[in-house]
Amino acid sequence: MDLSAINPILLVASLMVAATPILLAAIGELVVERAGVLNLGVEGMMITGAIVGFIVATATGSPWIGFLGAAAGGAALSLLFAVLTQFLLSNQVATGLALTLVGLGLSSLLGQNYVGIRAPSVPSIHIPVISDIPVIGPILFQHDPMVYVGLGICLGVWAFLKYSRAGLVLRAVGENHDAAHALGYKVIRVRVLAILFGGACAGLGGAYLSLVRVPQWTEGVTAGAGWIALAIVVFASWRPGRLVIGAYLFGGVTVLQLNLQLVNVPIPVEILSMAPYLVTILTLVLLSAGRGGAMGAPGSLGKHFHASS
Amino acid sequence: MIRLEKRAQPSRGWTIATPIIAVVATMIAGGLMFAALGKDPVEAIRTIFWDPLFGPFASYARPQLLVKAGPLILIAIGLSFGFKAGIWNIGAEGQYIMGALTGAATALAFYPAEWWIIFPLAILAGAVGGFLWAMIPAVLKVRFGTNEILVSLMLVYVAQSLLAAAALGWLRNPEGMGFPGSRNLAQWAATANPELIAGTGMHWGVVMAFLSVIVAYVILSRHMLGFSIRVTGQSPRAAAFAGVNPGRLVIVCMGVSGALAGMAGLFEVTGPAGQISIDFNVGYGFTAIIVAFLGRLHPVGILLAGLLMALTYIGGEMAQLSLGLPAAAIQLFQGMLLFFLLAVDVLTNYRIRAARREVA
Amino acid sequence: MKRRTLLASGAGAALAASLGLPLRAQDGPLKVGFIYVGPVGDGGWTFQHDQARQAVEAHFGDAVETIYQESVPEGADAERAITQMVLQGCKLIFTTSFGYMDATVNVAAQFPDVKFEHATGYKTAPNLATYDARFYEGRAVIGTIAGRMTKSNKIGYIGSFPIPEVIQGINSSFIHARKVNPDVEMVVAWAYTWFDPAKEADAAKAMIEQGVDVVMQHTDSTAPQAAAAEAGNVFTFGQASDMAAFKPTPRISSIIDNWAPYYIKRVQAVLDGTWESSRFWGGIGDGEVLIGDITEAVPAEVKAEAEALRDAIGSGAYHPFTGPLSKQDGSVWLAEGEVATDEVLSGMNFYVEGIVGDIPS
């Protein structure tokens, strides 16, 4: 056992990368849930984004256009969910699960001819001077741009929810759609937009896997990342700031666990892998016990809205 | 401008008509997809919907429909209790895993004894395992008001980790050459859960699924519990006036669904699956949620929805084999079917009105 | 209890007869079925099996027809999938994952006229053969290259599950890396998955951060290759498939699963009526394990050394597990010149001397 072999700076830097796909997907789902909608189809939207992004990137040779395509692909799939749940009033849980099924099937059909191809590469940013600052440089300033895009989106969502009027409306719709409706807000319009945003972010997260982390198209490339994203939203108790911490924690557990294995620290893998979920449940309990449920889940989460009901 | 108007009562006619519309729409959309993939659409649709029932190998496929539908129906029936009352247990997958684990572990503690009592004991242990796992979100909801959707979902991941730990560690077959996975329970007479009558597909799990449909029907339509569930689902306030104890209802509904899911897991691990392995669970717990909704939360509806789901699985496998359709196309086809079924459901509860422009 | 036992066995054996199933007639092409555990587009294990299936079709033309079913879960659904293949008229069925073992045994017992081939298992029957590949032979070759190429003298091995096949690979690559470089150390990370790109990338990264500069993998995705490419100055080897997209670096060679020769041989045997149950464990000499192109990043003399080792193993002149070898605890495993038996190898659950760490249990 020689813990000195683990370089904490590199550990932090690599867990930032490991967390990026789930961070992207989770921030999108956070907005969706703050609008009062539970979309369990994150995995399906992620993998659709992964293949659409890959196809676009290989066709155009530009990973950036690929990421745009991925966002569009994820959003397009989420539009199905939006139409069903918002206009046809279908149950959100069942529709979300069906969306995952559709996404997985669609992506492997689309990807049939893309197995074994390498995607155009995404260079890491290396800014002279600041990237070379000891400790902070490697942690903060030597990543590929999508790491910063992910953090930027989180920052943007935080500011949007906290300071903008539209953010206020979105939260109102999520907390109590009947009251929001009575105040004249367009509940369904807000929710559809939130769902599309969630789809786009999930698509970006998926494309980060197929274009940066793996980077190749293989069926099942997301391997359950979408479900982890759902957990992170809950862990974060629907706050963008905590979401970043949650994503790093969930992403970091795997990285840490593998690092410990390499220096022969005998840690039962199973306990480490279930720990984040147990912590999430504990968080939920503390939140709902501590403040009488007020700071827990958005009030209208998962309930469908119909103006006449 | 089209608007929806809520019906006072769900329409009986549409309840029957909508699934048919959905299936037809799926056949058309799916047929187009199959044609785009270069396959004969008519043959593909026939292979999926007709061949498992009446095709040349139907005598094998029909019993398999029951094997596949059994766990789906059993779990979905349990879920429907809570769903009707607005209690959302979406962690049936976890309860299914825990039932299989506790049941298998209980049985294997007696290995290699051949007492008849082991199998009933394992069923009981499976039900208790699923029940206790469901009690976690139930008790947290009652005690702290924690959201049961999220807790039960989180517990699926925890159960999966426990399953992996069991398959790799404490339940691993000591004679298995170091490979992950438990002893084969289907090949140990004390726990085997085979077909009860050869060629029917009926194992104890399927029997239990049918029984659960009947019992659920009676409870929901004639028993006080059914009344409590319905009134709570329609209006929690009215339920409070009617003397329904909401906490107890949460415990009962979650408990029933957990126990049934746990039992389904046990029947599966002792029968068709045979052993605890890392990827023992194949999503029955999640698919059952869809089945419950497709069945409109009604016991008979769930029975039919479970059989329809099973039909697309078995028929889909046949289409893969005989037409060379990729598995992904079948998955997408199933997704379409679900989407159409969910989409047309609106007609049951709402009336479409062409309204003049007004503030909706 | 007796009654249930009776039903269990009776139900199976009588299935075809009692239901009067119209098992398809013999005339026409021989129908061969393949059950895959993953999608054919996984780029690894299943992809390679499907390549071999296509090779069978190309080789036999109209004499053979193949069908396959992909993504069949290793559990409740496997037995039905195999049975349906029999009903579709398959006379030879390959089940290509360890987890299909009991299902294949059950179906084989019901249909004595159909031949079954189960990959990587250990249960056989008169109409059920097993086949596997001696991946450890390939590991010896890439272990040699790894030992020569490492500058930090630290090589990494991403393991999937602690099962004999993987442990053979770890030991074989370590022995041969040590042989050419006595200072080499090896670290092992267990991913507990055959395929999870994100986790594999994490494992490779963690290794690289701890000073590893040659990464070997026993998992199927290309994610470790990408992680190595990003880090620079790290070498990797393709696993299962060639992973040629990452040539010339980081991927400097590969171990390719090539099932085609075996599949063609067995299909031919059924056509000739000479098929017999057997346990086949093929290696480099049988063309079942291929060493992919060694790229120009490898110095010519190392390449020559690796190819010489490959050829020595292929010809049978050299066995990768030849004594003297000790176990991790220092006890003698193989005496000078002694060669490991297949029995010991197929149940291998110990590290050889020099590897640090414990095999999880």
Side-chain angles (χ1 to χ4, degrees):
Chain A
M1 193 185 302
D2 177 19
L3 287 174
S4 66
I6 301 178
N7 180 335
I9 297 169
L10 293 177
L11 184 70
V12 175
S14 66
L15 74 82
M16 284 180 75
V17 174
T20 296
I22 46 180
L23 179 70
L24 281 164
I27 191 67
E29 180 69 11
L30 180 138
V31 171
V32 178
E33 292 190 15
R34 283 303 278 270
V37 178
L38 182 64
N39 183 354
L40 294 182
V42 181
E43 179 84 359
M45 300 185 296
M46 266 186 107
I47 199 156
T48 305
I51 184 58
V52 173
F54 192 85
I55 291 172
V56 174
T58 42
T60 61
S62 158
W64 309 118
I65 302 177
F67 277 111
L68 286 180
L77 194 66
S78 71
L79 185 63
L80 274 177
F81 177 86
V83 169
L84 261 90
T85 57
Q86 301 308 308
F87 297 108
L88 300 175
L89 305 176
S90 70
N91 177 277
Q92 292 174 7
V93 170
T95 312
L97 293 172
L99 192 72
T100 295
L101 202 62
V102 168
L104 290 171
L106 184 67
S107 63
S108 37
L109 273 189
L110 290 174
Q112 275 178 340
N113 299 320
Y114 290 87
V115 176
I117 301 173
R118 192 171 170 176
S121 70
V122 180
S124 289
I125 296 178
H126 194 95
I127 312 159
V129 189
I130 62 166
S131 294
D132 299 326
I133 304 170
V135 186
I136 301 171
I139 291 181
L140 291 183
F141 302 115
Q142 288 184 6
H143 296 298
D144 61 89
M146 284 311 287
V147 171
Y148 307 109
V149 171
L151 290 170
I153 293 176
C154 290
L155 191 68
V157 166
W158 170 77
F160 169 79
L161 289 175
K162 197 168 166 79
Y163 297 112
S164 80
R165 195 181 136 66
L168 184 74
V169 172
L170 182 125
R171 282 187 290 145
V173 165
E175 281 306 328
N176 186 337
H177 49 216
D178 294 322
H181 176 68
L183 288 170
Y185 299 140
K186 303 273 185 228
V187 174
I188 289 179
R189 185 182 301 167
V190 169
R191 287 189 169 166
V192 169
L193 289 174
I195 292 167
L196 289 177
F197 178 76
C201 286
L204 284 179
Y208 189 78
L209 282 170
S210 66
L211 291 176
V212 181
R213 288 220 67 196
V214 177
Q216 236 179 14
W217 166 252
T218 40
E219 288 186 34
V221 71
T222 47
W227 296 101
I228 297 175
L230 280 167
I232 294 169
V233 179
V234 182
F235 170 85
S237 52
W238 298 273
R239 314 280 182 72
R242 291 186 194 170
L243 186 97
V244 178
I245 298 170
Y248 287 176
L249 186 72
F250 276 67
V253 163
T254 319
V255 174
L256 181 67
Q257 184 253 98
L258 289 162
N259 266 288
L260 290 176
Q261 268 198 45
L262 292 177
V263 293
N264 295 307
V265 177
I267 286 223
V269 175
E270 303 81 27
I271 292 181
L272 259 180
S273 62
M274 69 176 82
Y277 301 106
L278 294 174
V279 173
T280 304
I281 293 173
L282 193 67
T283 316
L284 267 174
V285 172
L286 291 176
L287 278 172
S288 30
R291 299 174 197 152
M295 299 307 285
S300 296
L301 186 62
K303 293 172 186 158
H304 69 173
F305 169 76
H306 182 245
S308 74
S309 59
Chain B
M1 182 85 185
I2 291 172
R3 59 186 291 267
L4 299 172
E5 194 179 282
K6 194 163 173 94
R7 294 176 197 272
Q9 285 288 319
S11 155
R12 224 160 236 279
W14 281 114
T15 307
I16 295 164
T18 48
I20 298 168
I21 294 173
V23 170
V24 171
T26 311
M27 286 180 177
I28 295 167
L32 289 174
M33 174 183 72
F34 295 139
L37 290 168
K39 310 284 175 187
D40 180 351
V42 177
E43 199 182 345
I45 300 286
R46 198 207 65 215
T47 308
I48 295 172
F49 286 105
W50 183 263
D51 282 5
L53 294 171
F54 309 106
F57 309 119
S59 53
Y60 177 74
R62 271 183 297 219
Q64 289 296 319
L65 284 178
L66 295 182
V67 172
K68 197 81 192 166
L72 290 175
I73 295 169
L74 192 55
I75 301 171
I77 288 283
L79 292 175
S80 69
F81 279 62
F83 288 178
K84 260 184 181 315
I87 299 161
W88 303 103
N89 173 13
I90 65 167
E93 185 81 356
Q95 293 138 23
Y96 171 86
I97 292 172
M98 292 313 285
L101 270 184
T102 50
T106 306
L108 285 171
F110 295 100
Y111 188 86
E114 290 285 354
W115 307 323
W116 65 268
I117 189 78
I118 295 175
F119 190 55
L121 208 61
I123 298 176
L124 189 68
V128 169
F131 173 84
L132 290 178
W133 204 244
M135 274 307 105
I136 300 173
V139 170
L140 291 179
K141 182 179 175 72
V142 174
R143 181 74 185 75
F144 301 109
T146 316
N147 184 321
E148 77 280 12
I149 298 184
L150 304 166
V151 176
S152 58
L153 180 64
M154 294 300 112
L155 286 171
V156 175
Y157 310 127
V158 178
Q160 257 160 351
S161 292
L162 288 172
L163 175 73
L168 290 163
W170 47 276
L171 275 183
R172 188 163 72 177
N173 181 358
E175 289 150 26
M177 312 281 282
F179 283 91
S182 74
R183 285 184 194 278
N184 194 312
L185 294 158
Q187 288 170 6
W188 172 27
T191 52
N193 173 27
E195 282 182 310
L196 298 171
I197 304 163
T200 58
M202 293 284 277
H203 61 70
W204 283 111
V206 181
V207 173
M208 195 60 83
F210 283 128
L211 276 179
S212 73
V213 170
I214 298 166
V215 173
Y217 185 84
V218 173
I219 288 180
L220 289 173
S221 58
R222 322 239 161 213
H223 192 270
M224 187 61 200
L225 176 64
F227 169 75
S228 307
I229 286 172
R230 256 177 310 161
V231 72
T232 307
Q234 278 155 10
S235 161
R237 275 170 59 85
F241 285 120
V244 176
N245 177 342
R248 224 182 64 195
L249 195 67
V250 169
I251 300 283
V252 169
C253 287
M254 295 289 282
V256 167
S257 56
L260 290 186
M263 243 193 259
L266 183 276
F267 287 127
E268 202 65 12
V269 78
T270 52
Q275 60 169 173
I276 293 286
S277 57
I278 293 171
D279 36 17
F280 158 73
N281 57 314
V282 289
Y284 280 133
F286 288 117
T287 312
I289 296 173
I290 300 173
V291 167
F293 281 103
L294 295 187
R296 313 294 187 236
L297 305 181
H298 187 283
V300 178
I302 288 171
L303 177 70
L304 296 174
L307 290 170
L308 177 66
M309 263 329 267
L311 183 65
T312 62
Y313 277 115
I314 309 276
E317 285 171 5
M318 286 185 159
Q320 270 192 68
L321 287 181
S322 59
L323 302 176
L325 273 172
I330 303 299
Q331 214 172 13
L332 193 54
F333 183 77
Q334 282 179 326
M336 283 181 189
L337 177 62
L338 301 177
F339 271 168
F340 280 118
L341 278 162
L342 291 164
V344 295
D345 192 25
V346 71
L347 297 171
T348 314
N349 293 309
Y350 295 87
R351 212 173 255 127
I352 295 178
R353 279 284 158 86
R356 279 185 293 274
R357 282 196 80 79
E358 59 180 324
V359 182
Chain C
M1 227 40 266
K2 279 274 185 277
R3 187 183 59 86
R4 297 235 322 262
T5 320
L6 190 76
L7 284 175
S9 53
L15 186 106
S18 69
L19 298 178
L21 288 166
L23 294 177
R24 277 183 184 166
Q26 274 287 23
D27 50 341
L30 172 72
K31 214 165 179 183
V32 184
F34 295 81
I35 301 273
Y36 298 145
V37 70
V40 294
D42 72 353
W45 180 259
T46 294
F47 180 76
Q48 290 301 121
H49 281 286
D50 197 57
Q51 292 291 309
R53 178 189 68 82
Q54 291 172 21
V56 167
E57 288 224 316
H59 184 268
F60 290 100
D62 292 338
V64 167
E65 183 190 345
T66 66
I67 58 174
Y68 69 88
Q69 190 174 337
E70 56 184 332
S71 301
V72 177
E74 299 177 316
D77 297 301
E79 196 165 324
R80 180 180 63 252
I82 303 168
T83 307
Q84 293 218 358
M85 280 198 168
V86 175
L87 298 180
Q88 293 276 342
C90 289
K91 291 292 164 208
L92 174 63
I93 295 172
F94 294 91
T95 56
T96 64
S97 181
F98 174 77
Y100 300 141
M101 184 163 67
D102 289 343
T104 312
V105 170
N106 290 349
V107 181
Q110 292 167 30
F111 299 100
D113 296 340
V114 179
K115 314 295 183 221
F116 295 86
E117 300 259 359
H118 174 233
T120 71
Y122 53 82
K123 293 184 184 169
T124 56
N127 62 333
L128 167 59
T130 60
Y131 62 102
D132 201 348
R134 294 178 190 270
F135 299 115
Y136 66 85
E137 295 188 348
R139 300 276 164 201
V141 177
I142 64 166
T144 303
I145 302 175
R148 290 285 186 204
M149 295 299 286
T150 178
K151 293 193 181 65
S152 65
N153 290 328
K154 223 172 158 186
I155 58 179
Y157 199 106
I158 305 173
S160 47
F161 293 99
I163 58 173
E165 177 195 320
V166 180
I167 295 167
Q168 290 158 19
I170 292 171
N171 284 330
S172 174
S173 48
F174 178 73
I175 291 167
H176 293 88
R178 261 274 158 104
K179 203 170 257 178
V180 297
N181 180 352
D183 297 326
V184 88
E185 280 175 46
M186 180 142 86
V187 291
V188 179
W190 297 101
Y192 290 98
T193 174
W194 289 108
F195 179 83
D196 181 343
K199 200 166 187 186
E200 294 171 46
D202 288 341
K205 272 198 176 156
M207 286 176 173
I208 293 164
E209 284 161 14
Q210 295 193 13
V212 166
D213 65 352
V214 180
V215 176
M216 289 182 268
Q217 60 179 104
H218 215 126
T219 49
D220 286 353
S221 94
T222 51
Q225 315 275 332
E230 196 191 318
N233 295 321
V234 176
F235 299 120
T236 58
F237 301 90
Q239 152 74 9
S241 68
D242 195 31
M243 301 191 177
F246 290 89
K247 277 195 214 177
T249 58
R251 174 220 164 278
I252 48 175
S253 185
S254 61
I255 299 181
I256 303 169
D257 309 352
N258 180 25
W259 305 102
Y262 182 71
Y263 286 174
I264 289 172
K265 189 173 83 187
R266 298 303 275 177
V267 170
Q268 188 65 53
V270 171
L271 286 171
D272 297 344
T274 57
W275 189 96
E276 274 181 11
S277 177
S278 62
R279 291 162 180 263
F280 181 74
W281 200 6
I284 291 176
D286 307 281
E288 194 161 304
V289 177
L290 301 180
I291 301 299
D293 180 32
I294 301 173
T295 65
E296 61 268 25
V298 179
E301 67 272 17
V302 176
K303 183 174 176 181
E305 186 183 17
E307 285 173 347
L309 180 65
R310 179 195 68 194
D311 296 340
I313 294 172
S315 69
Y318 174 72
H319 189 291
F321 292 108
T322 305
L325 286 173
S326 299
K327 294 186 182 180
Q328 190 182 30
D329 59 11
S331 63
V332 175
W333 172 35
L334 296 172
E336 176 80 43
E338 195 185 344
V339 169
T341 61
D342 283 358
E343 282 71 31
V344 173
L345 288 182
S346 57
M348 196 175 226
N349 60 357
F350 57 87
Y351 283 149
V352 293
E353 190 173 30
I355 300 179
V356 183
D358 299 319
I359 299 172
S361 61

